[in-house]
Amino acid sequence: MATERTLSILKPDATRRNLTGKINAVFEEAGLRIIAQRRLHLSQAQAEAFYAAHRERGFFKDLVGFMVSGPVVVQVLEGEDAIALNRKLMGATNPANADPGTIRKLFAESIEANSVHGSDSAEAAAQEIGFFFAGTDIVG
Ligand code: GDP
């Protein structure tokens, strides 16, 4: 295993319910370190660009609308095997299918308002981290 970095987003349903600390406690207790973090309100253009890979999917418009419905927290997590570990801690996309103890099982409201985003590959992590952060923003 290698030390990796991955992009995490705490989605609008999480900020609305004041859950950022509770969710980040799950990451930190599992050994992931938050080495960059910013709270922002995504613009329509930013949300569309971030989810460009999903443009053809039926839920794209709804997803973008949800992601601009309130503030998000974007952050870089670092740790051993961070990309897969983050995905494991998040749980399945649909909270109904998520394992007990995962963030989505504990906190998600629906398949759309599912509290967290996490990069799903090394390539996605590098691209998504670069989408939000300059190298100088990241302090490991
Ligand atoms: P993830 O990698 O687990 O986040 O899942 P995907 O990459 O497949 O989807 C991206 C995001 O789109 C999910 O986290 C959800 O917020 C949303 N999403 C996925 N599937 C659906 C769906 O069937 N309906 C709606 N409304 N949103 C969805």
Side-chain angles (χ1 to χ4, degrees):
M1 283 196 300
T3 300
E4 292 176 341
R5 293 176 173 181
T6 190
L7 185 85
S8 163
I9 303 179
L10 307 182
K11 295 185 179 182
D13 67 290
T15 59
R16 177 170 47 77
R17 289 177 292 150
N18 213 19
L19 291 171
T20 61
K22 281 193 176 141
I23 293 173
N24 278 335
V26 175
F27 294 136
E28 293 187 338
E29 278 161 22
L32 293 171
R33 306 180 70 84
I34 300 166
I35 60 168
Q37 189 178 56
R38 189 162 85 249
R39 184 175 173 111
L40 74 160
H41 200 135
L42 290 172
S43 68
Q44 182 86 12
Q46 276 178 311
E48 286 178 359
F50 184 79
Y51 280 115
H54 292 311
R55 201 173 285 278
E56 302 307 323
R57 294 173 82 172
F59 58 80
F60 179 73
K61 212 166 165 234
D62 288 343
L63 171 61
V64 169
F66 164 63
M67 291 300 289
V68 304
S69 69
V72 298
V73 176
V74 296
Q75 52 194 16
V76 179
L77 305 178
E78 182 180 78
E80 286 294 305
D81 215 12
I83 297 165
L85 176 56
N86 179 38
R87 297 285 301 183
K88 186 166 171 240
L89 295 170
M90 288 164 54
T93 308
N94 186 344
N97 303 328
D99 287 339
T102 60
I103 290 166
R104 283 167 166 170
K105 178 59 93 183
L106 288 169
F107 301 117
E109 294 184 312
S110 67
I111 191 170
E112 177 178 276
N114 59 5
S115 305
V116 281
H117 166 85
S119 310
D120 63 4
S121 67
E123 295 69 30
Q127 191 261 324
E128 292 176 359
I129 290 170
F131 188 92
F132 288 111
F133 295 101
T136 49
D137 295 330
I138 302 171
V139 184

